[in-house]
Amino acid sequence: MPALLPPEYVGDVHQRLSLYKKLASCDGDDALQSLQEELIDRYGRLPEAARALIETHRLRLAAEKLGVKKIDASGELIVLSFVPDAPVDPARLFAMLQRRAQHAPGRPGEAAHRGEDGQPRHRLQQLRAVFKALA
């Protein structure tokens, strides 16, 4: 797991572990927003790693609502694996896959998305767009 806040930013290990625990307990966007505001109030501008980790958790929550059980976002390919009874309409998913050239069907229960360049920031943006289209 990437460091949410580097040691020179926060200080001791106990503070960082406490922040990780708070992040893990966030169960919605409001809680994440409150944590982000708390961190900014306490420490100032967040490093890129902290913003990415918060956004990753935000996407994890969105994925859970859509029945996504696993996200493999390595390199340029993003593969979403769904739970058996995912609330995503299969016909809508396949229509989206066919409309967009960068989407390709995966194995049963999966959907694949070709990314731009494999950069973490771009993968987060692409996942956000895919989840928005599926919601």
Side-chain angles (χ1 to χ4, degrees):
M1 178 185 310
L4 173 62
L5 298 169
E8 61 275 6
Y9 190 80
V10 176
D12 70 27
V13 173
H14 177 72
Q15 283 180 310
R16 285 196 311 277
L17 291 177
S18 174
L19 292 173
Y20 284 124
K21 187 175 179 180
K22 283 183 180 184
L23 178 64
S25 69
C26 290
D27 59 357
D29 199 49
D30 290 341
L32 278 173
Q33 187 64 34
S34 293
L35 176 61
Q36 187 171 356
E37 289 170 5
E38 176 187 338
L39 291 172
I40 291 169
D41 286 346
R42 186 180 295 177
Y43 303 108
R45 189 172 194 276
L46 296 179
E48 181 62 32
R51 288 192 303 272
L53 191 58
I54 289 171
E55 184 59 27
T56 300
H57 191 73
R58 185 171 280 122
L59 287 171
R60 187 176 295 129
L61 294 172
E64 192 175 283
K65 289 179 187 176
L66 293 170
V68 175
K69 68 178 178 182
K70 181 181 174 186
I71 300 171
D72 182 5
S74 57
E76 294 181 10
L77 189 65
I78 299 170
V79 179
L80 305 176
S81 299
F82 294 88
V83 297
D85 294 325
V88 174
D89 178 14
R92 187 172 176 198
L93 174 61
F94 288 118
M96 182 183 74
L97 293 174
Q98 289 174 344
R99 270 195 322 269
R100 298 180 180 201
Q102 72 267 29
H103 286 78
R107 296 182 299 235
E110 291 185 351
H113 172 85
R114 290 218 181 276
E116 294 171 15
D117 58 8
Q119 294 295 319
R121 180 172 37 95
H122 293 147
R123 286 194 304 254
L124 288 174
Q125 292 170 348
Q126 291 162 349
L127 279 167
R128 199 177 305 119
V130 168
F131 288 168
K132 184 177 180 180
L134 291 176

